């Protein structure tokens, strides 16, 4: 007998993107059902890096301290030539960034996913069902979506009526296929070997990411944890992962980092082959069905932004969806999701492609460019800081990002997250709704207008980081969205207060405050 249930939101896929979306919705009191093909966390390591912006989102979810305990800050980037000579080295400052966290963080994805799922259990309105297969998605005339799935434990069939469906189901997304979206190829396709090892031996290596720039055998080395390591090597024609199934077979590749370490001291966790692709879906939405994460885009891993892009998708869409479901925001604001995220993602993919090209381009031209550009990168004014700067581009103009062509504008960028005079970070003070940050106190009338639509008001400390940030953006005040993106800025508080959209006050009773 087919069982029929109803949920405001159904999320297909319980990876980092799907669980992040579910948690954010739950923080706004929106019930959701999460469906996944796996019963438990997929055990194999995949993503190993996230930046300070994504760490900030994890703080929003309430697991910043837990993630810090299982992650390792990366101290920078070293570019190596084919003979392993150092072409350039870029060291990161160990201090927290503008977002309040280390700029580069190495981790084991199964451990992070376990944290995300454990955290989701704190929200009774979010239900996760594993070991299921989604078989059909139908958009109904009344705007709702019918989704059919089979529980593989007992072969029972279920139909779910949903107001919205989020496809977070990866590169082979059934949701993408159901809405007729096709992947556009950005002309990058390389086969790489991915190797994960563990050892208690001291490899005595510089504690940052090593990029081998070699048109024949490009490679990457990273220390993931206290005893965990990751290597990635470009495969040559005719090679497969089966050729490298033992530590002995891997020796010719890993010797530059493991010389002097016995084979018996190296535990081979995984050897697999990945095809690194650059693709983006031609459309991310049809009706009330949306695509997020790898279902909407695939990026080569050269700048470590694959998983982070999906988490950004969730952060961008969840609060808008919550506002629409609550009836405070018009449904038209959902159009801004693709308008903002697609150009941003395309930019990041192109950046990854540029890095990949610099590592792997062959021929005299490729070698010449590496010699001229890569070896001089650390001495070019501004380029060194740009390589280490984790800040991503501003969002394009939309109904919720009032960008213009003027210089030094803040709209579309992320607000900083400084430590305030009382010892708390800005995010924990502002809450999960809209906020007004102002360089001068708001009048009683102005504050009342802002607070009536659920926004908080914060006055920047004179001479502090926030005041300096506003000054650099030539603004007296800024409206900050729930995802910490600047919606707009201005010098007159009254019209800014009037421009703040109404938004439901978040429930904070079960949410842990972000770490300082």
């Amino acid at each position: 007998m087919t069982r029929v249930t109803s949920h405001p939101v159904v999320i297909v896929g319980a990876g980092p993107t799907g669980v992040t979306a579910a948690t954010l919705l739950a923080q706004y009191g929106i019930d959701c059902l999460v469906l996944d093909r796996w019963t438990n966390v997929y055990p194999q390591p995949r993503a190993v890096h996230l930046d300070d912006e994504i760490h900030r989102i994890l703080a929003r979810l309430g697991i910043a301290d837990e993630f810090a305990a299982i992650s390792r800050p990366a101290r920078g980037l070293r570019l190596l030539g084919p003979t392993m000579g150092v072409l350039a080295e870029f060291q990161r400052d160990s201090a927290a960034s503008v977002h309040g966290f280390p700029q580069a963080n190495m981790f084991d994805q199964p451990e992070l996913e376990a944290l995300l799922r454990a955290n989701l259990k704190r929200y009774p309105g979010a239900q996760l069902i594993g070991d299921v297969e989604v078989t059909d998605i139908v958009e109904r005339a009344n705007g709702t979506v019918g989704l059919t799935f089979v529980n593989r434990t007992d072969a029972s069939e279920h139909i779910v009526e949903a107001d919205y469906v989020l496809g977070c189901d990866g590169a082979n997304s059934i949701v993408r296929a159901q809405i007729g979206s096709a992947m556009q190829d950005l002309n990058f396709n390389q086969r790489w070997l991915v190797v994960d090892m563990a050892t208690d031996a001291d490899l005595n290596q510089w504690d940052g990411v090593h990029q081998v720039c070699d048109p024949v055998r490009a490679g990457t080395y990273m220390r993931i944890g206290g005893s965990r390591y990751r290597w990635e090597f470009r495969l040559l024609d005719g090679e497969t992962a089966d050729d490298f199934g033992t530590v002995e077979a891997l020796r010719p590749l890993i010797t530059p980092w493991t010389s002097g370490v016995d084979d018996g001291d190296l535990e081979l966790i995984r050897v697999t082959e990945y095809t690194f692709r650059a693709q983006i879906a031609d459309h991310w939405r049809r009706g009330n069905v949306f695509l997020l994460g790898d279902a909407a885009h695939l990026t080569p891993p050269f700048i470590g932004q694959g998983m982070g892009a999906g988490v950004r998708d969730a952060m961008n869409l969840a609060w808008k969806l919550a506002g629409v479901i609550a009836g405070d925001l018009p449904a038209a604001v959902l159009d801004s999701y693709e308008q903002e995220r697609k150009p941003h993602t395309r930019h990041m993919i192109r950046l990854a492609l540029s890095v990949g090209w610099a590592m792997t381009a062959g021929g005299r031209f490729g070698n010449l460019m590496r010699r001229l550009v890569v070896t001089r990168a650390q001495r070019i004014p501004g380029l060194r800081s740009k390589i280490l700067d984790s800040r991503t581009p501003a969002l394009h103009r939309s109904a919720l990002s009032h960008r213009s062509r003027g210089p030094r504008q803040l709209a579309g960028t992320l607000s900083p997250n400084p430590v305030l005079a009382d010892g708390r970070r800005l995010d924990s003070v502002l809450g999960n709704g809209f906020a007004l940050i102002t360089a001068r106190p708001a009048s009683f009338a102005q504050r009342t207008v802002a607070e009536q639509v659920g926004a908080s008001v914060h006055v920047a400390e004179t001479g502090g980081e926030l005041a300096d940030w506003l000054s650099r953006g030539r603004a007296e005040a800024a409206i900050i969205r729930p995802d910490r993106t600047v919606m707009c800025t201005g010098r007159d508080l009254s019209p800014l207060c009037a421009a703040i959209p109404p938004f439901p006050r978040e429930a904070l009773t079960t949410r842990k405050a972000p770490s300082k």
Side-chain angles (χ1 to χ4, degrees):
M1 178 178 175
T2 301
R3 303 172 187 175
V4 180
T5 58
S6 179
H7 298 268
V9 181
V10 172
I11 299 173
V12 184
T17 300
V19 176
T20 296
T23 307
L24 292 169
L25 288 168
Q27 288 180 348
Y28 291 117
I30 305 299
D31 292 346
C32 61
L33 173 66
V34 186
L35 304 173
D36 197 73
R37 62 179 302 195
W38 300 100
T39 303
N40 300 305
V41 169
Y42 185 71
Q44 294 295 342
R46 286 156 291 157
V48 294
H49 168 271
L50 58 79
D51 63 21
D52 51 337
E53 181 184 331
I54 307 305
H55 201 160
R56 184 179 182 179
I57 295 175
L58 296 182
R60 166 68 175 270
L61 302 182
I63 58 170
D65 292 339
E66 292 88 340
F67 176 72
I70 66 164
S71 62
R72 181 185 184 87
R75 297 309 182 193
L77 172 67
R78 177 177 282 179
L79 303 178
L80 307 175
T83 61
M84 305 304 291
V86 178
L87 302 177
E89 183 175 296
F90 308 90
Q91 295 198 32
R92 282 193 169 91
D93 188 340
S94 60
S97 73
V98 66
H99 295 299
F101 301 96
Q103 287 187 315
N105 304 272
M106 313 307 295
F107 68 99
D108 179 48
Q109 184 169 339
E111 287 187 310
L112 172 58
E113 290 198 39
L115 288 181
L116 288 167
R117 289 196 180 197
N119 188 55
L120 185 64
K121 291 179 180 178
R122 296 169 50 230
Y123 301 94
Q127 180 185 5
L128 194 160
I129 302 177
D131 200 16
V132 303
E133 180 181 358
V134 175
T135 57
D136 194 27
I137 299 173
V138 178
E139 298 164 77
R140 308 197 188 284
N142 63 359
T144 62
V145 183
L147 185 147
T148 304
F149 70 91
V150 175
N151 190 320
R152 295 188 293 196
T153 59
D154 59 9
S156 59
E157 184 178 74
H158 303 253
I159 296 177
V160 181
E161 299 286 347
D163 294 321
Y164 296 92
V165 170
L166 308 186
C168 306
D169 51 339
N172 299 314
S173 170
I174 186 174
V175 179
R176 185 178 66 237
Q178 290 285 340
I179 68 171
S181 178
M183 281 295 205
Q184 298 174 331
D185 198 332
L186 301 183
N187 300 317
F188 187 89
N189 191 304
Q190 290 185 357
R191 296 167 52 248
W192 281 65
L193 183 75
V194 178
V195 179
D196 287 281
M197 283 191 184
T199 181
D200 290 326
D202 185 0
L203 300 190
N204 195 28
Q205 297 294 324
W206 180 73
D207 205 11
V209 176
H210 300 198
Q211 298 274 22
V212 181
C213 302
D214 184 353
V216 177
R217 178 81 81 183
T220 305
Y221 158 87
M222 297 165 282
R223 186 174 185 177
I224 307 305
S227 60
R228 284 285 312 280
Y229 299 86
R230 159 74 61 87
W231 284 269
E232 297 170 352
F233 300 100
R234 187 175 181 183
L235 286 168
L236 307 182
D237 291 343
E239 291 181 337
T240 69
D242 293 338
D243 299 323
F244 301 95
T246 66
V247 173
E248 181 181 6
L250 286 164
R251 270 295 178 187
L253 301 182
I254 66 173
T255 290
W257 297 275
T258 61
S259 178
V261 180
D262 294 336
D263 286 3
D265 292 329
L266 296 171
E267 177 191 354
L268 190 55
I269 297 174
R270 183 186 69 150
V271 177
T272 191
E273 177 181 327
Y274 274 107
T275 299
F276 294 165
R277 293 187 174 90
Q279 297 179 339
I280 192 164
D282 57 8
H283 61 274
W284 295 20
R285 175 191 183 187
R286 190 172 75 184
N288 287 352
V289 182
F290 295 81
L291 302 179
L292 296 81
D294 286 356
H297 42 75
L298 296 172
T299 180
F302 301 119
I303 58 173
Q305 290 290 338
M307 191 197 81
V311 174
R312 287 187 182 92
D313 293 343
M315 188 67 171
N316 185 286
L317 180 59
W319 68 270
K320 299 172 183 176
L321 200 56
V324 171
I325 291 173
D328 289 283
L329 296 178
V333 304
L334 299 177
D335 295 337
S336 67
Y337 166 63
E338 184 172 345
Q339 291 170 359
E340 294 175 351
R341 286 296 304 139
K342 190 173 183 180
H344 187 281
T345 303
R346 189 184 294 273
H347 176 98
M348 299 303 289
I349 292 175
R350 286 174 174 165
L351 179 59
L353 291 178
S354 297
V355 174
W357 176 86
M359 289 175 60
T360 64
R364 294 178 59 187
F365 181 72
N367 292 330
L368 176 63
M369 291 304 293
R370 269 187 294 276
R371 189 164 60 251
L372 293 178
V373 177
V374 173
T375 58
R376 291 169 170 78
Q378 59 185 341
R379 298 192 297 270
I380 299 175
L383 184 57
R384 180 183 181 87
S385 60
K386 185 65 176 176
I387 289 174
L388 296 178
D389 188 355
S390 61
R391 283 179 291 187
T392 59
L395 299 181
H396 278 212
R397 182 176 178 82
S398 75
L400 293 165
S401 175
H402 301 176
R403 287 187 59 79
S404 65
R405 296 182 180 275
R408 298 171 61 185
Q409 61 178 305
L410 301 178
T413 67
L414 288 166
S415 69
N417 185 29
V419 176
L420 304 178
D422 63 1
R424 293 182 295 170
R425 286 204 176 272
L426 179 67
D427 283 355
S428 62
V429 172
L430 298 186
N432 290 355
F434 278 88
L436 178 71
I437 297 179
T438 174
R440 65 177 186 271
S443 68
F444 176 79
Q446 292 165 341
R447 183 178 289 271
T448 299
V449 170
E451 293 177 347
Q452 281 179 341
V453 292
S456 61
V457 179
H458 179 78
V459 180
E461 302 157 10
T462 302
E465 185 175 338
L466 280 179
D468 290 345
W469 170 71
L470 287 171
S471 178
R472 290 193 301 271
R474 299 175 180 175
E476 286 288 331
I479 297 176
I480 310 300
R481 306 185 334 185
D483 59 3
R484 298 300 177 254
T485 299
V486 178
M487 175 177 162
C488 60
T489 63
R491 294 185 175 278
D492 189 343
L493 266 61
S494 293
L496 275 180
C497 292
I500 302 174
F503 194 74
R505 293 184 180 274
E506 68 276 21
L508 298 175
T509 54
T510 59
R511 185 175 68 87
K512 291 190 292 184
S515 300
K516 296 180 182 178

